[in-house]
Amino acid sequence: RRDMIPLAGAQIHELSRLLASWAKIELLDSQHTKILTRKEKVLAAEMAEKILRKLESVRRWDGDDESNGNGRKRVVTTDMYHLVIKAWAKTGNYNDLLRASSLLDNMELIHSKDNQFLKSSIKCHVSLLDGWCKSRAPGAEIKAEELLMRMEATFSKFHRDSLNYQYYGVNRRGNDGNDNDSDNMRMAHDNRKWKGYNDLDDPSTTTTNAKNSSYDKLRTGNGMDIRHYNNVMNRIATSNKPNAGREAERILQHLIDIYKTHGDESVAPNKSSFNTVIKAYAKSGGKAAARNARRMLSMMENPKLIFVEPVVEGVADNGHVRKRDVDVDFMDGKGDEHKRDKVELRILENIEPDKVSCNSLLLAWANSGDKDGGEKAEQLLERMEEVYKRSGNTAIKPDTLTYNAVIKVWGKCGYKYAGERSELLLNKMLRRYEEGDVDVRPDDVSFNSVIHNLANCHEDDSPRRAMRILERMERAYKSGLVEAKPDIISYNSVLNAFAKSGREGCAQQAEEILDGLEHAFDAGEGDIQPDVYSYNIVINAWANIGETSKAVALLDRMSSRAKRGQTNVKPDVKTYNSVLHAWSQSLDRNAPVKALGLLELMFRLYEGGNENARPDVLSFSTVINAFSKSKFPGKAREVNNLLRRMKKLHEEGHEGMEPNIFVYAAVLNACAYTFGRNEEKEEAFEIGIEVYEEIQEKRIANHVAYGSFLRLARKLIADDLNRRDDLITNTFRQCCLDGQVGEYVLKQLRALPKLYISLLEPYIIDGEVQMQDLPTKWTRNVRDRKRNTQGRRRDYNYTKKYSY
């Protein structure tokens, strides 16, 4: 047999050196400033593993050691496995990490009876864990956590085996010497929950000093520490999973349980642990995640809360929202009070909040959508400043990142005067910087964020104020504040402020700013070159006021510059869609035909290899809208052809071409606004019926689609009133069942007074029906509805009669 053939010591030595050379080739090359490609890293790992497999298959002759079968013993060491596993882990590729995991499994299988070998294999596990934590592949966080649980179970087993069972003899063993409770000494793990070291022996049943001494020695000696747990929590935090916060806190709670039970300082949660959980909640988004992040900060401020059973706010199994209990008493009075006080003191020293904690909480508020987020952010900022002034602790002192985070929260909270409040914060930063506080010097992010917030306020003076901030930014940079150098984002934000204003002359001012940037860059007087976003913003500004010729001229200018080599201004699908939008707003009688021609140009460019010009759903719906708003003859047929073309492209596998409800509603609207001969109206009606039935089949109807179909029935059925009324009645009842009764639906019914009264009689007040007077189930799915909850008190019989 091959594995029984002895190998000379010199050969083993050379193979070992060769294995190490392949495994460390990246390190050797990095000394020569060469960066290996992934293909080269994989080749190195494959060669190292090949040598490892060779060494696994042989034995070394050792005449003095007969413990491994007639003097033959294995030559592979944990260092060899570690080198190969680390080589695979460095690639960061999911499949390569799986290969490293398989190698680890094989190592444990081969050496399953060699406890000393397995004890020293902790470095193999740690390298693989680092690989999973650093990998950006989807699902890497799950693999990292599974490996961490496996490490904990494996190395805690050695701890249990090393305990002196004389300590447990009196309490845990029967007279026959058998261990009746051995299962209770094993850790119970599953894929979702951690039970941790709470399942270990109760200290009260042993000689406390002896047990704790043995426990601490082995726990700190098995190679696992808090860094490994923190790395896994950080990978979960960066996974972009909606439940990342809860997953990270579950691991933190497991660590707290270990620490509370055993006082094991090697895995004691530290400041980084709590900050990572706050970060995970911050990236999850939502109001509940922000409140949970705030709860974690409260635990850092008051460690006594750590001993309270956590109630994580979120969605429970029954679908209801769980609320956190803020009136829970601290602990239950059980246990060693002296030990508990000692643990509290240690935690208090280790997890006092710093600016990283607070900045993460600010990010959570920014992603929460909470309308009060700006006020809460400023209150936290003021509190940080007060603590710093009182204690002098620089770790909690607000810096530029803190102020930028507060400005970001204002920008995302939807507050009407967010721009003004952001500008006040910027002024405060500038004032403190001028007074000598370099920690809060404004940078480009500070200025750009304020300009962005002003642009989104839609105030009359927003463009002027945004331009003023840009000018201050330029002056600050020229005076020596190099971090505040304006960039293209700064100018695009100002352009956006003018474009969103909609006031007379703002589109022209936006184009003048764009022209100035172009001329300065072309003349070599400036280093800021307009990009495709700059042009798209200005094109949108012209499109919104119906100035199609201006939008088309900018598109031509972009194309011309792109042909001359300025690829950063090459038109993309957003550019073309903006020009299509301009045509859809135009009063030009030929606007639909020109929009359709531009759509065809996009297809030709895409088929010629220009991926940026690939039409999307918005392209089609915008052209359909251009037809629906026109008096173009046969427009119902044209929009139906476009709809059929979209469906065909989708069936052929073109991504993003499936018609959505907005496309269907636009087709219905084009049919409803058909004018001309009776034959054309009848064709439009048939197309409308076909589209409406398809919408119902897909179950995607919204209030706009229902309103458009009601208008179609009202306008295109003139010769048979009974047929019209029956169709409208049945459509309205279906609309009520779908909860899509909106203002557009009511508007169509008001045009038919008799039918209006017949369908809505119990809800008419002073000759009118208001949304707030309708049953909630009729309007429950209408987006952006504004309904007063103080509706009219209805008669039961009427409500029952008209509950469709």
Side-chain angles (χ1 to χ4, degrees):
R1 285 170 47 190
R2 183 181 178 185
D3 63 348
M4 298 300 293
I5 299 174
L7 196 66
Q11 291 176 301
I12 295 172
H13 179 67
E14 288 302 318
L15 284 174
S16 301
R17 289 185 60 187
L18 186 59
L19 184 151
S21 297
W22 277 112
K24 294 181 178 181
I25 192 169
E26 183 177 9
L27 176 62
L28 293 174
D29 283 349
S30 65
Q31 294 175 355
H32 297 87
T33 66
K34 178 182 177 182
I35 300 176
L36 296 182
T37 65
R38 180 182 174 274
K39 185 176 181 180
E40 291 171 331
K41 291 179 182 178
V42 170
L43 174 62
E46 285 178 341
M47 294 301 298
E49 184 177 352
K50 186 176 181 180
I51 298 169
L52 180 66
R53 299 293 187 190
K54 173 68 176 178
L55 290 170
E56 279 180 340
S57 66
V58 299
R59 298 288 189 274
R60 182 178 62 194
W61 178 266
D62 191 341
D64 297 330
D65 186 351
E66 299 182 359
S67 60
N68 273 324
N70 298 325
R72 296 181 180 88
K73 60 189 301 185
R74 293 186 181 274
V75 299
V76 178
T77 65
T78 52
D79 288 336
M80 296 177 184
Y81 279 105
H82 175 237
L83 287 170
V84 180
I85 290 173
K86 190 173 182 180
W88 280 118
K90 282 180 180 179
T91 68
N93 180 268
Y94 189 88
N95 291 329
D96 294 342
L97 286 164
L98 287 178
R99 190 159 177 176
S101 299
S102 177
L103 190 60
L104 185 66
D105 294 340
N106 187 59
M107 178 195 75
E108 291 186 339
L109 179 63
I110 293 174
H111 302 277
S112 58
K113 296 182 180 180
D114 188 350
N115 285 346
Q116 192 62 36
F117 187 95
L118 294 179
K119 281 182 182 180
S120 63
S121 68
I122 180 67
K123 51 192 169 187
C124 302
H125 292 78
V126 169
S127 290
L128 180 56
L129 184 69
D130 288 343
W132 283 120
C133 291
K134 292 177 181 178
S135 174
R136 297 296 94 191
E141 72 283 353
I142 298 174
K143 292 294 184 181
E145 185 177 353
E146 288 175 353
L147 179 59
L148 182 66
M149 291 162 49
R150 173 178 165 185
M151 291 168 63
E152 189 177 81
T154 299
F155 295 105
S156 63
K157 180 192 71 171
F158 295 134
H159 155 63
R160 291 195 304 271
D161 292 343
S162 302
L163 285 174
N164 185 351
Y165 280 104
Q166 294 294 331
Y167 298 151
Y168 306 100
V170 175
N171 296 304
R172 294 197 175 274
R173 294 196 178 194
N175 295 330
D176 58 356
N178 294 326
D179 189 354
N180 297 325
D181 292 326
S182 60
D183 290 340
N184 294 331
M185 300 181 62
R186 296 175 182 168
M187 294 189 59
H189 287 281
D190 55 39
N191 288 335
R192 304 308 304 161
K193 294 184 178 179
W194 296 67
K195 294 191 181 289
Y197 292 98
N198 296 329
D199 295 336
L200 292 174
D201 307 313
D202 186 350
S204 65
T205 63
T206 66
T207 305
T208 304
N209 291 338
K211 176 187 179 294
N212 286 345
S213 175
S214 176
Y215 183 89
D216 291 341
K217 180 179 178 181
L218 288 162
R219 281 292 295 148
T220 56
N222 67 17
M224 291 190 67
D225 60 36
I226 190 61
R227 293 173 297 173
H228 305 139
Y229 294 89
N230 289 348
N231 287 342
V232 174
M233 286 191 288
N234 186 65
R235 182 61 187 88
I236 293 173
T238 57
S239 66
N240 296 323
K241 294 167 63 175
N243 63 337
R246 293 196 297 273
E247 294 292 306
E249 186 174 357
R250 177 170 49 79
I251 298 178
L252 176 63
Q253 186 59 43
H254 168 65
L255 290 171
I256 292 171
D257 291 341
I258 297 175
Y259 190 44
K260 287 192 297 185
T261 304
H262 304 285
D264 181 12
E265 294 187 13
S266 65
V267 292
N270 56 20
K271 191 179 299 183
S272 178
S273 310
F274 284 85
N275 286 348
T276 303
V277 176
I278 296 175
K279 173 184 174 181
Y281 275 122
K283 289 182 173 291
S284 297
K287 293 182 180 179
R291 286 191 287 268
N292 282 324
R294 182 64 184 90
R295 176 174 53 79
M296 297 305 300
L297 187 68
S298 299
M299 292 173 67
M300 297 177 73
E301 294 174 315
N302 182 11
K304 289 185 176 182
L305 295 176
I306 294 174
F307 294 88
V308 179
E309 187 67 23
V311 181
V312 181
E313 186 173 343
V315 180
D317 295 336
N318 59 6
H320 298 291
V321 175
R322 294 195 297 261
K323 300 294 184 182
R324 63 184 176 90
D325 188 355
V326 296
D327 298 322
V328 181
D329 291 334
F330 168 53
M331 293 194 68
D332 55 8
K334 297 181 181 180
D336 188 341
E337 295 290 341
H338 176 71
K339 178 181 177 181
R340 185 173 63 200
D341 293 341
K342 184 178 179 181
V343 169
E344 287 177 39
L345 181 60
R346 296 242 178 121
I347 293 180
L348 181 61
E349 294 172 349
N350 291 334
I351 64 169
E352 184 179 356
D354 58 9
K355 62 182 129 189
V356 175
S357 319
C358 297
N359 290 350
S360 295
L361 178 57
L362 291 171
L363 176 62
W365 278 328
N367 295 334
S368 69
D370 188 350
K371 292 184 178 180
D372 297 326
E375 293 291 351
K376 293 177 181 177
E378 283 222 35
Q379 290 172 8
L380 179 61
L381 176 64
E382 292 171 0
R383 185 177 175 189
M384 292 172 67
E385 290 176 336
E386 290 174 2
V387 172
Y388 169 68
K389 289 179 181 178
R390 185 175 64 251
S391 65
N393 182 9
T394 56
I396 197 67
K397 181 186 177 184
D399 57 10
T400 301
L401 291 176
T402 310
Y403 276 88
N404 289 349
V406 177
I407 293 173
K408 182 178 181 179
V409 177
W410 275 120
K412 290 197 170 186
C413 71
Y415 182 59
K416 182 179 180 181
Y417 301 108
E420 181 178 342
R421 298 294 292 268
S422 303
E423 189 174 357
L424 290 174
L425 283 172
L426 178 62
N427 293 338
K428 184 177 179 180
M429 293 177 72
L430 286 167
R431 184 172 61 254
R432 289 185 56 182
Y433 173 68
E434 291 170 358
E435 292 172 355
D437 189 352
V438 295
D439 291 334
V440 294
R441 59 179 176 271
D443 57 11
D444 56 338
V445 176
S446 312
F447 284 94
N448 291 346
S449 298
V450 174
I451 295 173
H452 172 78
N453 293 352
L454 286 169
N456 290 331
C457 280
H458 306 291
E459 293 292 318
D460 291 343
D461 62 342
S462 291
R464 178 183 59 81
R465 294 172 65 182
M467 193 66 192
R468 187 178 63 195
I469 296 295
L470 177 60
E471 292 170 352
R472 290 181 66 185
M473 188 178 184
E474 291 173 337
R475 289 197 301 270
Y477 172 68
K478 291 178 181 178
S479 64
L481 188 58
V482 294
E483 295 84 357
K485 181 181 180 181
D487 55 16
I488 190 57
I489 297 175
S490 313
Y491 283 90
N492 285 349
S493 297
V494 172
L495 290 174
N496 203 30
F498 281 97
K500 289 185 175 181
S501 172
R503 298 187 64 192
E504 184 179 354
C506 281
Q508 181 61 44
Q509 288 179 281
E511 184 162 352
E512 289 174 0
I513 296 173
L514 178 64
D515 292 342
L517 279 175
E518 268 188 357
H519 295 154
F521 182 80
D522 292 344
E525 299 172 358
D527 59 352
I528 300 177
Q529 182 182 15
D531 57 14
V532 65
Y533 303 105
S534 312
Y535 282 92
N536 288 350
I537 291 169
V538 181
I539 289 174
N540 264 319
W542 287 121
N544 288 334
I545 59 175
E547 289 286 350
T548 312
S549 60
K550 298 282 189 178
V552 172
L554 281 173
L555 173 60
D556 293 339
R557 202 158 102 191
M558 292 176 71
S559 301
S560 176
R561 283 182 168 266
K563 289 178 181 178
R564 295 201 301 266
Q566 296 184 16
T567 56
N568 67 318
V569 296
K570 186 177 182 179
D572 59 11
V573 65
K574 291 183 179 179
T575 311
Y576 291 107
N577 286 347
S578 296
V579 178
L580 288 174
H581 175 63
W583 283 121
S584 72
Q585 301 293 315
S586 175
L587 299 177
D588 188 336
R589 60 184 299 178
N590 294 319
V593 178
K594 293 178 179 178
L596 184 60
L598 183 57
L599 180 66
E600 296 297 342
L601 173 63
M602 293 173 69
F603 270 107
R604 288 198 300 273
L605 292 172
Y606 171 62
E607 291 166 358
N610 185 355
E611 288 286 337
N612 291 331
R614 182 170 71 94
D616 57 13
V617 172
L618 182 58
S619 310
F620 276 89
S621 63
T622 307
V623 176
I624 292 172
N625 278 328
F627 276 101
S628 68
K629 294 177 181 179
S630 71
K631 294 183 180 181
F632 192 83
K635 64 181 180 180
R637 183 169 56 255
E638 292 290 344
V639 298
N640 191 42
N641 289 337
L642 286 169
L643 177 61
R644 290 177 182 275
R645 185 176 181 182
M646 286 188 71
K647 292 161 66 175
K648 182 179 179 182
L649 289 169
H650 173 66
E651 292 169 357
E652 292 174 351
H654 290 265
E655 185 179 354
M657 279 298 172
E658 183 178 10
N660 56 28
I661 185 56
F662 302 105
V663 175
Y664 284 109
V667 173
L668 283 176
N669 196 50
C671 295
Y673 281 87
T674 295
F675 307 96
R677 304 186 312 273
N678 289 336
E679 294 82 0
E680 188 172 339
K681 291 182 179 179
E682 184 64 30
E683 181 186 23
F685 180 74
E686 291 175 359
I687 293 173
I689 291 290
E690 180 183 340
V691 171
Y692 177 74
E693 290 175 349
E694 190 172 342
I695 291 174
Q696 291 298 326
E697 182 181 346
K698 290 176 174 287
R699 302 184 65 84
I700 59 173
N702 64 4
H703 65 287
V704 177
Y706 276 114
S708 297
F709 186 72
L710 289 173
R711 177 182 171 84
L712 181 146
R714 179 171 66 84
K715 285 289 189 180
L716 301 185
I717 304 179
D719 55 347
D720 191 344
L721 298 185
N722 290 332
R723 179 192 178 197
R724 181 198 68 185
D725 291 350
D726 288 344
L727 181 59
I728 289 177
T729 299
N730 292 332
T731 302
F732 179 69
R733 287 176 176 172
Q734 185 61 48
C735 182
C736 294
L737 290 174
D738 289 346
Q740 294 287 0
V741 180
E743 284 292 348
Y744 190 42
V745 172
L746 294 178
K747 179 181 178 181
Q748 304 309 317
L749 295 179
R750 291 188 190 107
L752 302 170
K754 291 183 179 180
L755 197 58
Y756 178 67
I757 294 173
S758 173
L759 295 173
L760 297 167
E761 182 180 353
Y763 309 105
I764 297 177
I765 301 175
D766 297 330
E768 187 58 81
V769 174
Q770 300 295 332
M771 288 284 288
Q772 62 265 24
D773 290 324
L774 296 175
T776 303
K777 64 180 181 180
W778 287 11
T779 62
R780 67 186 184 278
N781 294 323
V782 178
R783 286 190 175 185
D784 300 328
R785 66 185 186 279
K786 296 180 181 180
R787 184 175 66 245
N788 186 354
T789 57
Q790 300 295 325
R792 185 182 74 162
R793 188 171 183 175
R794 303 177 183 86
D795 181 82
Y796 172 79
N797 292 327
Y798 276 113
T799 306
K800 183 176 180 180
K801 177 181 177 181
Y802 289 93
S803 294
Y804 302 125

